[in-house]
């Protein structure tokens, strides 16, 4: 089943955007180096990494962010040593068992994106339970990307379209045909992308959805990334001029128009 895209595509139109990002997407990187700096096993860094998530979820909810998407485990992270992968799976189970009730009490809706069938049945069941329990919540939508890859996402969308016969009566595939089949179809595209840990790369995260997202890279290692660091990312975001292909002069004119008679039409790319 496809779900309807919730808001304007950044390439088909101009999404509404304001002072607070509606959708923040984070690559939580640097757990291993955080542990190494302290002569601790990598596992200790991952444990602290889970703790760091709490403050960021709370802070995003307080700021009125609608969607927070966290990259927890990539399609390529299976390439890590088996004992590290096993520990990460244990942490995932622990987090699902320990946190879902808390999220629910706080009105947060949990979603998990990524290919689930590679996870053990217990994890798949916990994900399904957590999503079901929190499905009706109207607060922040927290999406955990687990066994997720941007290329996988585009391919699973095309494969589902093919299976449903949605491709057969199309002369050509348009953006609006594909978008509803992507994992994040129910969310607006991210306004702000944050990567901690110093690397300046996207590492196969939301490839399609990051088309016009503002990128923020910080050297802070994920276990050290706190509410103040998030606030600094928001300050940086607010200082950006989001042009979506237009010129600064057009934006100035639209602003003057908004102050006077001609409002900027949110979804116009004319
Ligand atoms: C991110 O931290 C967590 C996962 C990818 C699961 P890393 O484990 O990649 O930490 P570094 O990059 O080695 O420091
Ligand atoms: C990206 O971090 C994935 C997650 C944070 C889950 P990695 O540490 O796996 O990325 P690379 O390998 O440095 O690009
Ligand atoms: Mg890393």
């Amino acid at each position: 089943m496809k779900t309807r895209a919730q808001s304007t595509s950044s390439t088909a139109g101009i999404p509404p955007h304001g002072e607070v990002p509606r959708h923040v997407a984070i690559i939580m990187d640097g757990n291993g180096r955080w542990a190494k700096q302290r002569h601790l096993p990598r596992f200790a860094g991952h444990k602290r990494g889970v703790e760091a998530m709490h403050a960021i979820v709370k802070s995003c909810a307080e700021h009125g962010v609608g969607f927070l998407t966290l990259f927890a485990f990539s399609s390529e992270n299976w390439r890590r040593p088996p004992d590290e992968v096993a520990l990460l799976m244990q942490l995932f189970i622990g987090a699902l068992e320990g946190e879902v009730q808390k999220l629910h009490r706080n009105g947060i809706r949990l979603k998990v994106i990524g290919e689930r069938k590679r996870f053990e049945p217990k994890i798949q069941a916990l994900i399904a339970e957590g999503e079901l329990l929190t499905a009706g919540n109207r607060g922040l939508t927290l999406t955990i990307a687990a066994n997720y890859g941007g290329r996988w996402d585009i391919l699973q969308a095309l494969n589902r379209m093919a299976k449903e016969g949605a491709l057969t009566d199309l002369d050509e595939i348009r953006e609006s045909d594909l978008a509803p089949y992507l994992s994040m179809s129910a969310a607006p595209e991210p306004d702000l992308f944050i990567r901690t840990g110093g690397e300046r790369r996207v590492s196969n995260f939301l490839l399609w959805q990051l088309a016009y997202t503002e990128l923020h890279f910080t050297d802070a290692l994920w276990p050290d990334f706190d509410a103040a660091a998030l606030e600094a990312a928001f300050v940086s975001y607010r200082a950006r001029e989001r042009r979506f292909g237009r010129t600064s002069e057009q934006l100035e004119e639209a602003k003057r128009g908004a102050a006077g008679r001609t409002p900027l039409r949110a979804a116009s790319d004319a």
Side-chain angles (χ1 to χ4, degrees):
M1 276 296 289
K2 62 179 182 180
T3 42
R4 193 109 309 280
Q6 195 199 332
S7 58
T8 320
S9 147
S10 61
T11 44
I14 295 165
H17 52 283
E19 295 284 286
V20 177
R22 288 166 310 157
H23 183 175
V24 179
I26 307 183
I27 297 186
M28 310 181 289
D29 195 22
N31 293 347
R33 279 162 286 162
W34 183 93
K36 197 170 182 186
Q37 281 175 359
R38 287 159 181 80
H39 308 286
L40 295 168
R42 293 179 60 84
F43 174 63
H46 293 314
K47 253 183 104 173
R48 285 296 290 263
V50 174
E51 287 164 24
M53 285 169 55
H54 298 155
I56 299 309
V57 171
K58 184 164 179 268
S59 208
C60 279
E62 284 168 3
H63 274 92
V65 170
F67 298 82
L68 172 64
T69 303
L70 301 175
F71 204 5
F73 192 87
S74 74
S75 312
E76 291 71 49
N77 284 145
W78 298 103
R79 297 169 180 168
R80 293 193 176 197
D83 58 340
E84 179 167 347
V85 170
L87 286 167
L88 286 166
M89 294 304 136
Q90 280 314 308
L91 274 181
F92 195 19
I93 290 173
L96 286 165
E97 284 176 341
E99 305 297 334
V100 167
Q101 291 293 342
K102 230 179 290 169
L103 295 175
H104 187 47
R105 279 200 299 279
N106 287 297
I108 293 169
R109 181 163 55 151
L110 176 70
K111 289 203 169 284
V112 177
I113 54 166
E115 188 176 30
R116 292 189 195 184
K117 61 177 190 254
R118 189 148 176 199
F119 291 124
E120 58 183 277
K122 182 173 180 175
I123 294 183
Q124 294 186 38
L126 285 168
I127 291 172
E129 279 167 32
E131 287 187 335
L132 188 66
L133 178 72
T134 62
N137 290 341
R138 290 284 161 262
L140 175 75
T141 296
L142 170 64
T143 303
I144 304 294
N147 192 21
Y148 177 86
R151 290 188 180 182
W152 165 82
D153 198 0
I154 293 165
L155 288 173
Q156 68 77 27
L158 286 168
N159 282 319
R160 276 202 299 145
M161 287 179 83
K163 259 193 210 126
E164 287 182 16
L167 293 175
T168 46
D169 44 61
L170 294 177
D171 291 335
E172 60 176 334
I173 306 172
R174 287 164 313 174
E175 201 188 289
S176 56
D177 299 317
L178 180 71
Y181 288 86
L182 293 166
S183 299
M184 294 298 294
S185 61
E189 292 171 31
D191 296 301
L192 174 63
F193 160 99
I194 299 171
R195 182 173 187 145
T196 64
E199 312 297 352
R200 269 69 175 158
R201 55 177 171 253
V202 173
S203 298
N204 199 15
F205 197 20
L206 301 159
L207 299 179
W208 176 279
Q209 295 84 351
L210 293 176
Y212 271 100
T213 301
E214 296 298 328
L215 306 179
H216 179 81
F217 295 97
T218 167
D219 290 336
L221 302 174
W222 174 252
D224 293 326
F225 191 80
D226 58 10
L230 181 72
E231 186 60 47
F234 286 176
V235 168
S236 162
Y237 170 77
R238 281 196 287 274
R240 313 282 177 97
E241 183 179 63
R242 302 191 72 190
R243 291 194 288 275
F244 298 98
R246 298 163 299 172
T247 65
S248 281
E249 289 72 21
Q250 285 176 297
L251 298 180
E252 287 305 319
E253 201 167 308
K255 243 188 252 163
R256 280 198 299 274
R261 285 168 295 113
T262 339
L264 174 68
R265 280 188 296 133
S268 164
D269 58 349

